[in-house]
Amino acid sequence: YYGGGAAALLQDDKFGAFMQQPAAPEHHSKSSGAGSSIIGILEVCESDFANNLAKEEQQEADAESVYQKITQENKITVASKEQDVKYKTQESKSLDSTVAELSSDRETTNAELSAVLEYYGKIKERCIAKPETYEVRKASREAEIEGLKKALATLNDETAFLQRKNRRHSMRGSVISVK
């Protein structure tokens, strides 16, 4: 193998036809349309991306504006509600103290009322005449009539109670006193 170095570089004729260069193509020319169409497609893609980017940026700006507006409204609402809570708490404390005061006043007034009603009950028993029943009135009238009958009989029977008339005359004849 190593001994015949010149023979190794020689090629056989049987491989000679197979190892030759191919013939140059006959109609080969530089293609110019394909590059411009790719650049055109890229330019359309770029303009589409630019339009989409502008739309997205506008939507983002609008969304940011709405967010800021809602955030500001929420801050105002929170501040308003906090003030409402503060004032309602103060009002509640004020009403609690008013209720306590009025409850105390009511208890005092109820105590005074019960004392007055008790005193009125005692006075009422003494001062207000109670109507007598028919039997009591009949018995007292009969006793009174009986007493008057006795007095009349006494007056008619006894002459001890005769009346005498005394007249005093003055100088001119007028009556001064009668006894």
Side-chain angles (χ1 to χ4, degrees):
Y1 182 79
Y2 292 107
L9 294 178
L10 290 179
Q11 296 183 354
D12 290 338
D13 285 335
K14 57 181 177 181
F15 291 115
F18 183 67
M19 297 294 279
Q20 291 185 358
Q21 285 286 334
E26 295 176 17
H27 298 303
H28 179 66
S29 65
K30 185 177 180 184
S31 131
S32 63
S36 64
S37 67
I38 290 175
I39 290 177
I41 290 173
L42 291 176
E43 287 174 352
V44 168
C45 289
E46 180 188 16
S47 68
D48 287 346
F49 285 137
N51 287 336
N52 288 339
L53 179 63
K55 287 178 185 177
E56 290 297 321
E57 286 177 348
Q58 183 62 37
Q59 287 176 351
E60 182 70 24
D62 292 344
E64 176 70 22
S65 172
V66 169
Y67 172 78
Q68 292 299 331
K69 181 180 177 184
I70 290 173
T71 302
Q72 187 63 28
E73 289 174 357
N74 287 343
K75 286 179 182 177
I76 291 170
T77 303
V78 166
S80 171
K81 294 195 186 245
E82 286 175 353
Q83 287 298 322
D84 286 348
V85 166
K86 178 181 174 184
Y87 292 132
K88 296 287 182 185
T89 303
Q90 288 177 350
E91 183 180 357
S92 173
K93 288 179 182 177
S94 172
L95 289 175
D96 287 343
S97 65
T98 303
V99 165
E101 182 180 322
L102 291 176
S103 295
S104 173
D105 289 347
R106 188 185 74 204
E107 290 172 4
T108 303
T109 304
N110 284 339
E112 290 175 3
L113 176 64
S114 64
V116 166
L117 289 176
E118 182 181 337
Y119 182 71
Y120 175 70
K122 290 178 183 177
I123 297 283
K124 183 177 166 183
E125 291 175 8
R126 291 188 209 163
C127 296
I128 297 176
K130 296 176 185 171
E132 297 175 343
T133 62
Y134 174 75
E135 290 81 20
V136 173
R137 284 186 297 168
K138 183 178 177 185
S140 92
R141 289 257 169 111
E142 287 176 357
E144 184 180 349
I145 290 172
E146 200 58 40
L148 289 174
K149 283 182 183 178
K150 285 181 184 177
L152 180 64
T154 304
L155 287 175
N156 284 338
D157 290 340
E158 294 187 16
T159 56
F161 293 111
L162 293 176
Q163 293 183 358
R164 296 173 76 187
K165 291 185 181 179
N166 285 337
R167 290 188 182 187
R168 290 177 125 183
H169 295 286
S170 68
M171 294 189 173
R172 295 191 181 171
S174 64
V175 177
I176 296 177
S177 68
V178 176
K179 290 188 183 179

